[in-house]
Amino acid sequence: MKWHNSFYSVSYISRQHKVFINDGALVMRGKGLKYTLCGILITISIHAMAQPGMTDTTSALPPVEIQSTRLTNYHSGYNIHRIDSISMLQYGQSSLSDLLSNNGLVYIKKYGINGIGSVSLRGTSAVHTATVWNGFNLQSPMNGGADLSLFPVGFADHISLQTGGSCALFGSGAIGGSIHINNTPMFGSGLHASVSGSLGSFAWYDGNMAVTMGTKKTFTSVKAFYHQAANHFKYKLNGTGITDTMKNSGLTEYGILVGHQIALGKYQLLALNFWWQESQREIPVVLAADLGASGQDDRILRGSVEWKYMKSRVQLSIRSLLNSENQHYYKELTSIDSKNNFLNSITEAEVNIALGKLNMLNAGLNNSFEQVHSNNYAAVTSRDRGSLYISHAFHSRNNKLKTSLALREEIGAQTLWPACSGGLEVALFKGSTLHCSGSSVYRIPTMNDLFWNPGGNSDLKAEEGWTVESGLKQAFRHKGLTMEVALTLYSYKVNNWIVWLPSASIWTPQNIQKVWSRGIESEFSLNYQIKKLSIYAQAQYSYTRSTNQQAKFVGDASVGKQLLYTPEHRAAGGVRISYHNFALSYNHQYTGIRYTSSDNLEWLSAFHTGDLQLSKRISLTSIDLTTTLSLDNIWNQQYQAIAMIPMPGRSYKTSITFQFNKPLKNQIK
């Protein structure tokens, strides 16, 4: 990696032309090359033109995809945790919920081995975390969450976890943080193909395929998967020692993701993506009662298009997403047949401007349209909302000081104060960085909150609050050893927290809670490499105290008590040893007790789990063959993530992967 200055990272440099391409702007140097900004329209679309009489003497290389510019360039003061490529390979045949469960800063609440996977960051709920795919927030307009079990890791090229309130950057709901899933093209990479298959315990079968082709001006990728499992594992009934077999817990899912990017001339890029996925899940019977077989079918269709114009110090982007999700839930014994379908579109226009070498400005307009067809609503319901946002980033010349500021105003949803955020990073001494940030946060009510029939409450207010955090990072480097440690303190307060409560035998949502979440996050990583030996170790621990501060009714015993299913203690760690073509890794997770009653008198016990993986790679000219053996929950821990739904004990999975690589002739160097 080469560096242009403190702001711009160089992806590659042409031998003939000085062209710098980074995550925030494309910068070209040519004699006498100057540009001015001509106008900012009401829609925040900005058109940059060359000054009269000036000649462009620089040619452009095929552009490189620019991803998550707001996350990458305007995050100073916040923590971003990037999932490393080896972890993504290890979990390439799993879901995002499985991958993130190995992070001690995240709690994944999973409804059984094949059930919904929801995330909790810093004591917030699933509706308080944004899940962002290539810049689009995929939180459901119906329930406000995102089922992470429906996000295949193999569909992503890069995954990042950002902790801390970021509503000013990513909009409603990004209170606890955000998860970013990106697809990044590799122009000039040639032909790459991989095919993998696996089988394992509980009649697990899996197949994955990925083919990419990168020329100098185009990049095409096709990724597909198929999963099937019966999940008929054995478990012990609580306190009895009697063994039973899990029933009605099967899973079948499959999908395909197709992407195509093309360079249009010297300065433009067009990107197209299509995502289709289907899932049929049997829902296991809870231990308390047998209410008959039930299941849930999900169908997802997503299509996106993005156009980018990159010249001099200006990048203009216009992107649009059409997202359709159909959910069918049914329960035979009680004759429940719930059909929930929604369609939403997101259109966004934004500009990034490099203001000299030290400052960068981002501004944009977002429009979101949401429409729901559900037999649980009185009628087809829709809403249209928009937002205006602007951000600024500053890096000092010596890169020892970084600041970020952001502001967002919602239009058409509810009357809200503009969301704002600010962050600061200061390099104290060699390898040491102090960071702090503060932000206002908000979440508008979901369509279910407003229109569910019966029970919806159209008078609900938006949740609003603030967050602050501060932390210290220290890095040590010596020869082949790199070690990093980090500690962060944070505090959240959210008013008008929406809670569903019984009222005259009907459950209805109310703005009744005030939640205060505060805690500590610590991280450690070590990387040592010498010749063909590589050792990597990492660990995270989080303490989270998240309590209700306001009584919902007279005598409410939940005041001052920990929120439901929010563990105070969460930890994870692992070690990975690689030598030549062999790799051995072990990951361990600890989850503390989780309360299942608001007065904290009932809880689920804490539990430990450990996963072991051994792999061997064989290289044959342009073909790589990798075999892997995985042992999950090797200590055979009996535990429940959700009350009355047991999780499986020890299990195994074996897989084989073929990879083929054919570099492009005359590729960019």
Side-chain angles (χ1 to χ4, degrees):
M1 181 70 72
K2 300 180 181 179
W3 295 94
H4 168 39
N5 56 38
S6 61
F7 233 138
Y8 306 114
S9 61
V10 181
S11 296
Y12 57 78
I13 303 179
S14 167
R15 294 179 177 177
Q16 293 79 25
H17 310 289
K18 295 181 179 179
V19 180
F20 300 86
I21 302 175
N22 71 355
D23 287 327
L26 180 144
V27 181
M28 302 180 193
R29 287 180 176 174
K31 293 182 178 180
L33 182 62
K34 295 182 180 179
Y35 290 86
T36 58
L37 189 61
C38 291
I40 300 179
L41 305 180
I42 296 178
T43 61
I44 309 301
S45 295
I46 299 184
H47 177 63
M49 301 177 62
Q51 288 183 354
M54 305 306 293
T55 303
D56 185 0
T57 61
T58 305
S59 299
L61 289 174
V64 173
E65 181 74 20
I66 299 173
Q67 294 290 343
S68 298
T69 57
R70 271 169 279 158
L71 176 69
T72 305
N73 292 327
Y74 304 94
H75 73 284
S76 298
Y78 295 86
N79 286 324
I80 298 179
H81 316 270
R82 293 176 174 87
I83 308 300
D84 65 273
S85 58
I86 296 179
S87 296
M88 290 189 61
L89 285 174
Q90 289 180 331
Y91 286 87
Q93 300 173 2
S94 303
S95 68
L96 188 56
S97 63
D98 296 325
L99 172 67
L100 293 180
S101 65
N102 283 324
N103 190 307
L105 308 181
V106 182
Y107 176 57
I108 300 295
K109 186 168 63 175
K110 195 163 185 180
Y111 291 75
I113 187 173
N114 68 333
I116 295 172
S118 60
V119 63
S120 174
L121 284 176
R122 294 184 169 180
T124 61
S125 68
V127 300
H128 299 117
T129 300
T131 302
V132 183
W133 174 54
N134 292 337
F136 299 106
N137 190 340
L138 296 183
Q139 286 178 287
S140 168
M142 291 190 67
N143 58 32
D147 184 357
L148 300 188
S149 66
L150 295 178
F151 286 81
V153 173
F155 275 12
D157 296 319
H158 303 283
I159 297 175
S160 300
L161 173 69
Q162 178 261 323
T163 53
S166 54
C167 293
L169 289 177
F170 304 109
S172 170
I175 295 177
S178 55
I179 301 169
H180 295 263
I181 306 160
N182 291 317
N183 299 113
T184 306
M186 296 293 291
F187 291 96
S189 59
L191 176 64
H192 295 259
S194 67
V195 178
S196 63
S198 65
L199 56 87
S201 302
F202 323 131
W204 169 273
Y205 303 96
D206 178 278
N208 288 263
M209 178 273 290
V211 179
T212 65
M213 180 63 188
T215 70
K216 291 184 178 181
K217 292 188 176 181
T218 66
F219 181 83
T220 302
S221 66
V222 179
K223 301 179 180 182
F225 78 97
Y226 177 86
H227 297 165
Q228 180 178 319
N231 293 324
H232 291 163
F233 58 89
K234 296 186 181 298
Y235 64 92
K236 291 183 179 180
L237 296 173
N238 290 342
T240 65
I242 301 174
T243 300
D244 201 354
T245 300
M246 177 61 70
K247 303 177 182 63
N248 198 63
S249 191
L251 165 69
T252 300
E253 58 180 348
Y254 40 86
I256 185 171
L257 175 66
V258 180
H260 182 67
Q261 289 81 21
I262 182 171
L264 303 174
K266 295 181 179 180
Y267 310 115
Q268 299 180 68
L269 177 69
L270 182 66
L272 305 169
N273 287 286
F274 173 76
W275 181 337
W276 167 73
Q277 184 172 329
E278 293 203 13
S279 172
Q280 294 89 42
R281 292 180 283 188
E282 297 176 338
I283 298 178
V285 176
V286 297
L287 301 181
D290 187 350
L291 299 178
S294 60
Q296 180 173 310
D297 299 336
D298 293 272
R299 175 180 294 174
I300 297 170
L301 283 172
R302 297 183 178 120
S304 70
V305 59
E306 181 169 17
W307 171 80
K308 292 181 179 177
Y309 177 84
M310 299 166 287
K311 193 173 183 181
S312 185
R313 296 180 179 272
V314 176
Q315 174 199 313
L316 174 64
S317 303
I318 299 176
R319 51 182 169 265
S320 185
L321 168 78
L322 189 63
N323 180 37
S324 172
E325 297 189 31
N326 300 331
Q327 180 193 90
H328 181 202
Y329 173 80
Y330 51 89
K331 183 181 286 289
E332 295 178 357
L333 191 61
T334 56
S335 299
I336 295 178
D337 187 36
S338 179
K339 297 179 180 179
N340 303 301
N341 310 321
F342 72 79
L343 176 71
N344 68 309
S345 66
I346 301 173
T347 301
E348 197 165 71
E350 73 172 8
V351 65
N352 281 278
I353 310 169
L355 304 174
K357 296 181 179 181
L358 307 179
N359 295 271
M360 182 171 285
L361 182 69
N362 167 267
L365 169 68
N366 175 287
N367 177 261
S368 297
F369 174 77
E370 303 161 342
Q371 186 177 77
V372 176
H373 296 251
S374 173
N375 57 4
N376 296 294
Y377 286 19
V380 176
T381 305
S382 63
R383 67 179 174 187
D384 198 6
R385 57 191 181 91
S387 60
L388 291 165
Y389 58 88
I390 186 169
S391 307
H392 174 268
F394 167 79
H395 290 196
S396 65
R397 292 185 181 276
N398 57 10
N399 217 33
K400 291 186 176 182
L401 174 64
K402 301 177 183 178
T403 65
S404 64
L405 295 170
L407 185 71
R408 177 182 289 259
E409 172 67 16
E410 283 278 345
I411 304 171
Q414 292 190 11
T415 302
L416 300 172
W417 286 99
C420 57
S421 66
L424 172 71
E425 291 184 14
V426 181
L428 301 178
F429 46 85
K430 186 176 180 179
S432 179
T433 304
L434 173 69
H435 68 92
C436 58
S437 63
S439 62
S440 59
V441 293
Y442 70 97
R443 183 179 76 87
I444 64 174
T446 67
M447 302 284 268
N448 284 358
D449 292 333
L450 298 171
F451 305 113
W452 192 267
N453 184 33
N457 182 358
S458 59
D459 295 325
L460 285 174
K461 301 177 182 178
E463 299 177 352
E464 295 186 90
W466 53 264
T467 74
V468 293
E469 67 177 86
S470 183
L472 184 66
K473 298 179 182 179
Q474 179 67 57
F476 305 91
R477 294 178 176 86
H478 180 69
K479 295 183 179 180
L481 175 66
T482 300
M483 184 170 65
E484 296 182 358
V485 293
L487 181 69
T488 301
L489 307 177
Y490 66 86
S491 179
Y492 286 57
K493 283 196 174 181
V494 181
N495 299 319
N496 297 326
W497 189 288
I498 297 173
V499 181
W500 284 69
L501 297 172
S503 177
S505 76
I506 296 176
W507 287 77
T508 185
Q510 301 177 38
N511 295 111
I512 203 70
Q513 273 189 325
K514 290 185 177 181
V515 173
W516 180 24
S517 180
R518 59 278 193 198
I520 302 172
E521 297 173 343
S522 60
E523 301 174 79
F524 167 83
S525 68
L526 180 149
N527 200 338
Y528 177 71
Q529 188 163 0
I530 180 171
K531 296 182 179 180
K532 295 182 179 181
L533 175 65
S534 175
I535 300 175
Y536 175 74
Q538 54 81 28
Q540 307 95 21
Y541 166 76
S542 63
Y543 169 78
T544 304
R545 182 65 177 165
S546 187
T547 56
N548 172 32
Q549 300 297 111
Q550 179 172 285
K552 298 186 290 291
F553 47 83
V554 177
D556 183 8
S558 72
V559 178
K561 303 297 176 61
Q562 186 81 346
L563 297 187
L564 300 181
Y565 286 105
T566 302
E568 288 189 349
H569 303 281
R570 179 90 170 94
V575 61
R576 181 170 63 233
I577 302 174
S578 303
Y579 180 74
H580 197 47
N581 290 324
F582 287 92
L584 176 67
S585 65
Y586 175 75
N587 291 298
H588 193 91
Q589 303 86 38
Y590 169 78
T591 301
I593 64 172
R594 290 130 297 138
Y595 295 104
T596 57
S597 64
S598 59
D599 56 9
N600 290 182
L601 296 179
E602 299 178 4
W603 64 84
L604 294 176
S605 300
F607 64 89
H608 293 263
T609 59
D611 305 323
L612 186 68
Q613 187 177 86
L614 175 66
S615 64
K616 171 68 168 70
R617 181 171 60 88
I618 302 173
S619 297
L620 302 169
T621 314
S622 58
I623 297 178
D624 286 344
L625 171 64
T626 304
T627 59
T628 304
L629 174 64
S630 302
L631 298 175
D632 297 334
N633 194 5
I634 62 173
W635 311 118
N636 202 32
Q637 175 78 62
Q638 300 293 308
Y639 70 99
Q640 297 175 13
I642 298 296
M644 300 298 174
I645 302 180
M647 297 295 286
R650 186 183 299 112
S651 63
Y652 80 91
K653 184 187 296 182
T654 180
S655 65
I656 184 169
T657 301
F658 295 89
Q659 289 183 311
F660 172 79
N661 303 299
K662 185 178 180 181
L664 179 69
K665 293 182 180 179
N666 301 320
Q667 66 181 19
I668 298 171
K669 295 181 180 181

